[in-house]
């Protein structure tokens, strides 16, 4: 199994509406990409200072299924149209479980 983890920090001028749109658009992806086995997205709970603002965690059966997600046109559109315009930093890792 492959677990994909992404952490975002939003730009200071990112609005609540823009952030909510990111969540809404990301939550549509499991319906469009059946290779996803588990998918969790959302803002940091605000428990610890210094954390990133947002996380995406997605599980796939194998590398090929992850690559389908990574390259999927709907996923790429969310990144280009919704995430990048409000993004300050991005950190990601893929774990083999």
């Amino acid at each position: 199994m492959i677990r994909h983890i992404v952490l975002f920090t939003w730009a200071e001028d990112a609005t609540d509406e823009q952030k909510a749109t990111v969540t809404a658009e990301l939550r549509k992806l499991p319906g469009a990409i059946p290779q996803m086995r588990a998918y969790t997205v959302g803002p940091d709970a605000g428990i610890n200072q210094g954390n990133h603002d947002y996380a995406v965690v997605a599980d796939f059966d194998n590398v090929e299924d992850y690559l389908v997600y990574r390259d999927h046109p709907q996923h790429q559109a969310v990144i280009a149209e919704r995430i990048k315009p409000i993004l300050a930093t991005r950190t990601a890792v893929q774990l083999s479980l």
Side-chain angles (χ1 to χ4, degrees), residues 2-94:
I2 298 296
R3 178 162 291 156
H4 172 62
I5 303 168
V6 183
L7 303 174
F8 300 128
T9 300
W10 302 129
E12 287 187 30
D13 61 348
T15 67
D16 289 342
E17 181 179 353
Q18 288 173 307
K19 296 174 199 176
T21 300
V22 167
T23 298
E25 293 299 316
L26 288 175
R27 288 186 176 159
K28 293 177 184 178
L29 295 180
I33 308 171
Q35 290 82 357
M36 300 171 78
R37 294 293 164 239
Y39 194 61
T40 304
V41 302
D44 180 63
I47 298 167
N48 295 319
Q49 287 187 316
N51 284 359
H52 289 274
D53 297 322
Y54 198 87
V56 175
V57 180
D59 290 341
F60 305 89
D61 287 339
N62 52 53
V63 172
E64 292 78 15
D65 287 352
Y66 162 72
L67 295 175
V68 168
Y69 162 81
R70 183 194 71 186
D71 299 335
H72 192 279
Q74 189 171 339
H75 178 230
Q76 288 299 313
V78 174
I79 293 168
E81 298 167 12
R82 303 301 182 180
I83 294 172
K84 283 188 178 180
I86 64 170
L87 186 63
T89 65
R90 176 189 179 273
T91 302
V93 65
Q94 293 78 43

